Amino acid sequence: LAKTTQPISMDSYEGQEVNITCSHNNIATNDYITWYQQFPSQGPRFIIQGYKTKVTNEVASLFIPADRKSSTLSLPRVSLSDTAVYYCLVGDEAGANNLFFGTGTRLTVIP
Amino acid sequence: KAGVTQTPRYLIKTRGQQVTLSCSPISGHRSVSWYQQTPGQGLQFLFEYFSETQRNKGNFPGRFSGRQFSNSRSEMNVSTLELGDSALYLCASSLRGSEGNQPQHFGDGTRLSIL
């Protein structure tokens, strides 16, 4: 399972775009990149998943360069309610999977 | 569609006791995974069940065990509780086994406190 490295914390003002980068140098061919958001005393919530290039949904975008050794979660125009811990996971279903969440990035949105 | 349901939400036990936690996955999900989350260690994988069989296991002592029923509901048991077992225990289900890489959907956990 490819381990990941993320910044421990980030601060941003409301209304700004936030980009959180995750490094995963040992990513395997079958691995997907998945991001979760977690609020205190709640379980992580799935945000977005991708394999290569760019993926966009209603809440975020995920940018993955050609070598797939890193990925960037982009949150447009953050609000105070986006204050949370964001986890990047790399793995595939068939393998040991899911399982290493790492320390995550604590995002604090400032009014 | 109902999400992952974990019961109870809060639990207080004393050292040496045992505890059973329950998880009902999203309808149609056959994979259930359990995690322990503590401030010091973060989110750590305990085990995964798929179609009533344990498919993956993390690095936890044998005091931690689980099982899955034919309806995909899962239980986790911890015996001989220790103070260090105080944590948020999270359950996640997924469509693992279906086509594509399926993300996990988490419940809000059981907060276990050991006195």
Side-chain angles (χ1 to χ4, degrees):
Chain A
L1 178 70
K3 290 194 175 180
T4 60
T5 303
Q6 303 173 234
I8 296 293
S9 63
M10 295 180 68
D11 294 337
S12 176
Y13 287 102
E14 269 191 298
Q16 289 189 329
E17 177 185 75
V18 170
N19 296 309
I20 306 174
T21 297
C22 179
S23 297
H24 28 80
N25 292 318
N26 297 322
I27 190 168
T29 303
N30 295 331
D31 287 343
Y32 282 72
I33 300 156
T34 311
W35 285 81
Y36 290 86
Q37 174 194 56
Q38 187 178 26
F39 298 111
S41 297
Q42 293 185 22
R45 307 290 179 200
F46 170 78
I47 301 175
I48 198 166
Q49 181 181 84
Y51 183 80
K52 60 181 179 181
T53 62
K54 177 184 174 183
V55 179
T56 297
N57 62 22
E58 62 277 9
V59 298
S61 294
L62 178 60
F63 299 91
I64 305 169
D67 66 6
R68 304 202 324 126
K69 293 183 183 298
S70 67
S71 59
T72 299
L73 173 72
S74 181
L75 304 172
R77 298 180 297 282
V78 294
S79 64
L80 296 178
S81 63
D82 293 318
T83 295
V85 178
Y86 292 82
Y87 293 96
C88 160
L89 271 77
V90 173
D92 77 277
E93 276 194 1
N97 185 30
N98 323 331
L99 327 177
F100 185 78
F101 269 75
T103 57
T105 297
R106 183 174 300 277
L107 172 66
T108 302
V109 180
I110 306 163
Chain B
K1 202 175 197 180
V4 176
T5 303
Q6 292 189 246
T7 56
R9 284 300 312 275
Y10 302 93
L11 202 51
I12 299 175
K13 291 286 187 179
T14 57
R15 281 181 295 175
Q17 287 186 310
Q18 73 159 15
V19 67
T20 299
L21 311 181
S22 180
C23 172
S24 294
I26 292 173
S27 178
H29 287 193
R30 291 192 294 161
S31 168
V32 174
S33 297
W34 289 89
Y35 295 81
Q36 180 195 67
Q37 186 171 33
T38 60
Q41 298 296 321
L43 262 161
Q44 293 186 285
F45 171 73
L46 281 155
F47 30 65
E48 180 201 4
Y49 285 86
F50 181 80
S51 293
E52 302 179 65
T53 301
Q54 188 180 88
R55 189 145 75 163
N56 285 305
K57 188 177 188 304
N59 189 28
F60 276 81
R63 301 185 297 109
F64 292 82
S65 63
R67 60 177 175 169
Q68 186 180 33
F69 302 96
S70 58
N71 61 359
S72 294
R73 192 177 71 83
S74 177
E75 288 182 346
M76 189 192 94
N77 186 76
V78 187
S79 62
T80 320
L81 287 165
E82 302 175 359
L83 292 178
D85 296 334
S86 294
L88 180 67
Y89 288 89
L90 292 160
C91 166
S93 73
S94 78
L95 280 168
R96 183 168 153 89
S98 304
E99 288 189 11
N101 199 69
Q102 301 295 330
Q104 295 184 87
H105 299 267
F106 285 80
D108 285 335
T110 294
R111 173 75 62 185
L112 175 63
S113 299
I114 311 302
L115 304 179

